[in-house]
Amino acid sequence: MTGAIPALGLAMLLTLAAAPPVSAADTIRVAVVESARVVELRGVDIDVTELGGCPACASPSRRAALVRATAAGGGVEIDGVRSAEQPIRFNGREYTGALEIVRNGDGLAVVNELPLEEYVVGVLRAEAGDKWPLEALRAQAIVARTYAAYHRTIAGGKPYHIVASTAHQQYAGRVPPASPIWGAVRDTAGQVLLWEGELFPAFYHTESGGYTEDPRSVFAARNMPALKPVRCEFSAGSPHYYWALDVKLADLAEVLKRNDVGVGSVTAIEVTERTPSLRAAVVTVHGRRGIARLRGNDFRRMLGYDTFKSTLFAVAVDEQAAHFSGRGYGHGVGMCQWGAKGMAEQGYAARKIVEFYYPGTVLGTLDRTGR
């Protein structure tokens, strides 16, 4: 133990000593975790420095191989321990670039700042994997870069631009240089999709179930394009094309109650409005104490996005359970990842894939300001 550095303001910067400087216009700040009470990072020869300097601190900068950070008062308390470890690791993953530990509400956020193109590589590793066809990986790179660059433009004064989870995009951290993903990202370096000349949130999803969705039916984000839904016949062989789920009525009533929907014992469920792609726009739940009309996306959120895979479903209710049968996985907006894989396997190039799923968009490049 080298001893604790006192609580150091609101943020600490941790970098590998050899990390090269990168222009801020070419980087992105990724929240690897948003609300942790304690954070432990491991590495070799890590610099620990308070952001902005700390004249009152006895030891504002220190090198260590294990760093443990705890939310303390209004700042961050750091313990450094010397030991032989691997490059900076957090939650079993390695990260390049700088890692910042910042206060975020009552907890800590770990923010990875790195070149945008390296971040896109980490997204592809998490969202698609090394074994997908090259043209599907190239299409995914264009879409992931567009989504990230858009979020970078709207972050304002926030301590990070984007979150490494399904709330935004998954991110795997450092990717070995031998991965074919690096080639897909290099082949499309700087390429983004533009809607009426501007970046837009290029949403994508796992599996469309046969039809994509108008983004305005799902999201209310700024600069939302009027993307035309498309019929997708390329993903029928995916493991998520069909799904089924049985939920006990007692469990369903409890889920609704936790979300302030107090209808009592559930007696019936109806899809009373559907979108043009046949997804549930409004779900009406009948109970012994009342009736509730819920947005289809809210109903899915309450049951869990991974459990209740999409709003493209039908439902039947008996005395014991609700029996759901559906298609697809995700919100259905933008590119269907399994559809992109199917198109690539049929010989479609990345450009044709993104043109199919984002009709009306134009393929462009990021300007020098990293717009």
Side-chain angles (χ1 to χ4, degrees), residues 10 19 47 52-53 85 92 135 153 168 172 178 183 186 190-191 201 233 277 294 334 366 371:
L10 297 178
D47 280 331
E85 297 291 344
E135 292 300 324
T153 67
H168 286 154
R186 283 192 295 267
Q191 293 182 7
E233 300 178 341
S277 70
L294 305 172
L366 290 171
R371 182 184 62 186

Side-chain angles (χ1 to χ4, degrees), residues 5-358:
I5 299 176
L8 295 174
L10 297 178
M12 293 294 299
L13 175 67
L14 299 99
T15 65
L16 286 172
V22 180
S23 168
D26 298 325
T27 65
I28 189 164
R29 294 173 56 79
V30 187
V32 178
V33 65
E34 285 189 284
S35 301
R37 295 300 302 171
V38 178
V39 170
E40 190 171 282
L41 304 167
R42 296 175 181 270
V44 176
D45 207 12
I46 304 173
D47 280 331
V48 181
T49 308
E50 183 183 9
L51 293 178
C54 181
C57 297
S59 181
S61 180
R62 160 163 299 167
R63 289 192 175 182
L66 183 149
V67 172
R68 183 180 297 108
T70 308
V76 182
E77 187 172 280
I78 301 290
D79 284 338
V81 181
R82 287 191 175 277
S83 63
E85 297 291 344
Q86 299 297 315
I88 297 180
R89 295 179 64 85
F90 175 65
N91 283 352
R93 285 178 170 167
E94 295 182 358
Y95 294 92
T96 59
L99 287 178
E100 293 178 17
I101 300 173
V102 301
R103 285 302 298 264
N104 189 35
D106 294 331
L108 302 173
V110 177
V111 180
N112 184 197
E113 182 170 7
L114 74 164
L116 176 61
E117 296 298 313
E118 289 187 25
Y119 164 72
V120 173
V121 173
V123 171
L124 264 63
R125 182 68 177 275
E127 290 281 358
D130 299 284
K131 297 181 180 180
W132 279 47
L134 182 57
E135 292 300 324
L137 291 176
R138 287 171 175 162
Q140 180 73 71
I142 294 168
V143 173
R145 186 183 296 109
T146 305
Y147 187 83
Y150 169 79
H151 277 275
R152 189 171 60 178
T153 67
I154 65 170
K158 296 178 182 178
Y160 46 85
H161 302 129
I162 199 165
V163 179
S165 74
T166 53
H168 286 154
Q169 299 185 124
Q170 298 187 80
Y171 167 56
R174 176 184 175 273
V175 176
S179 170
I181 291 172
W182 282 98
V185 173
R186 283 192 295 267
D187 292 343
T188 63
Q191 293 182 7
V192 290
L193 294 171
L194 302 175
W195 177 263
E196 297 181 347
E198 299 292 334
L199 291 167
F200 68 97
F203 292 103
Y204 55 93
H205 58 283
T206 301
E207 162 63 59
S208 70
Y211 297 88
T212 66
E213 181 61 280
D214 185 327
R216 296 169 299 176
S217 298
V218 181
F219 302 107
R222 181 174 64 85
N223 200 26
M224 184 61 65
L227 291 178
K228 178 183 176 182
V230 299
R231 182 178 179 181
C232 174
E233 300 178 341
F234 300 100
S235 63
S238 90
H240 308 292
Y241 193 83
Y242 293 106
W243 59 269
L245 178 69
D246 296 335
V247 182
K248 293 181 180 179
L249 296 183
D251 294 338
L252 181 56
E254 183 60 32
V255 168
L256 295 172
K257 182 179 178 181
R258 288 200 302 268
N259 287 274
D260 298 320
V261 181
V263 297
S265 300
V266 176
T267 58
I269 302 171
E270 301 175 274
V271 178
T272 47
E273 291 182 27
R274 291 189 182 272
T275 70
S277 70
L278 301 181
R279 287 174 170 79
V282 176
V283 177
T284 301
V285 182
H286 299 260
R288 299 191 185 282
R289 296 181 183 176
I291 299 173
R293 283 171 53 87
L294 305 172
R295 291 180 68 247
N297 291 307
D298 289 336
F299 186 72
R300 181 182 172 219
R301 172 183 55 78
M302 292 175 189
L303 289 170
Y305 291 124
D306 292 329
T307 301
F308 202 88
K309 291 187 175 183
S310 77
T311 55
L312 185 56
F313 69 89
V315 58
V317 177
D318 59 28
E319 294 182 356
Q320 300 295 322
H323 306 279
F324 299 95
S325 58
R327 299 204 311 266
Y329 193 173
H331 47 63
V333 175
M335 188 178 74
C336 165
Q337 291 172 297
W338 277 88
K341 178 177 182 289
M343 290 184 73
E345 289 171 344
Q346 292 185 33
Y348 288 88
R351 188 185 188 105
K352 292 297 183 181
I353 293 172
V354 297
E355 286 177 354
F356 177 75
Y357 286 110
Y358 301 92

